[in-house]
Amino acid sequence: MGLIDTHTHLDFPDFDVDRPALLANARALGVQRMVVLGVHQANWQRVWDLVQSDDQLYAALGLHPVYLDEHTPGHLTDLRDWLARLVGHRQLCAVGEFGLDYFLENLDRERQQTLFEAQLALAAEFDLPGLLHVRRSHAQTIATLKRFKLKRGGIIHAFAGSYEEAREYLKLGFKLGLGGAATWPQAVKLRKTVARLPLEAVVLETDSPDMAPVMFAGVRNSPEHLPQIAQALAEVMGVEVSALSEASTANACHLFNWDL
Ligand SMILES: [Zn+2]
């Protein structure tokens, strides 16, 4: 079993010019499965159509906090309808992407919280993991997750918190998504935290087309970069890349109930 890219936006128009070739190349490089995350109601159909075209692509559907102003209360009803219709389908793997973004100051925090809790409730109702976007909001996210314990946990995508926060998430049944951010030598604090994480804590991701790693600075990120990201992260963690690859794939398979 190869690597798993647990966080991509492969439905974005950035990939319209070469998506099939990119997928074939990613497989040739050992990246077998990829998760594509819906971010707002208008892109769920596109995400679903994409994963239906390839049996090793998996979908998560959610309402991302960065698109807060686009979401309406009706979209939560729509999300519930989508999940009710697709739950049990092998290619629906989670609710996401959703969460709290306190970095962008124009995003109303109360409305974010309402949306966050409503989607945690949907993850619990449909017994799905939650794939979370958490920026500058770890304390609030952890406090909320303690009230809404998800039986299947989930992933803190692009984790950039402290070691203590990492431990809280692990206790709550969450894995930490690592990708391009920790490949940058400037990310001193994050690299120190990553170096202390146990292999059981980690899943790999690219967040394509965003979050380019240092070796592909300034270019569109792609699942094709995941093997080199894994290599760089293994060096930061002080483990063999084979150990990180095996553990991260096993962690993702366990989380999503996939066969190894
Ligand atoms: Zn994302």
Side-chain angles (χ1 to χ4, degrees), residues 135 161 168 200 213 229 234:
R135 231 175 4 164
E168 292 287 339
E200 310 85 73
I229 291 173

Side-chain angles (χ1 to χ4, degrees), residues 115-143:
L115 209 54
F116 181 39
E117 294 188 10
Q119 292 178 89
L120 286 172
L122 288 175
E125 178 183 351
F126 292 104
D127 199 20
L128 288 165
L131 306 185
L132 303 188
H133 170 99
V134 185
R135 231 175 4 164
R136 304 262 174 99
S137 58
H138 290 294
Q140 181 64 20
T141 300
I142 290 165

Side-chain angles (χ1 to χ4, degrees), residues 7 9 97 157 207:
H7 198 108
H9 298 283
E97 173 172 2
H157 133 70
D207 201 20

Side-chain angles (χ1 to χ4, degrees), residues 181-196:
T183 66
W184 290 82
Q186 299 93 313
V188 176
K189 197 168 158 249
L190 176 59
R191 287 162 74 94
K192 277 190 185 151
T193 301
V194 168
R196 296 175 68 191

Side-chain angles (χ1 to χ4, degrees), residues 100 102 113 116-117 120 134 137-149 165 168-169 172:
L100 298 174
Y102 287 4
Q113 186 69 28
F116 181 39
E117 294 188 10
L120 286 172
V134 185
S137 58
H138 290 294
Q140 181 64 20
T141 300
I142 290 165
T144 308
L145 291 176
K146 282 180 177 168
R147 287 192 286 117
F148 284 81
K149 289 212 175 74
E165 287 158 348
E168 292 287 339
Y169 287 124
L172 288 159

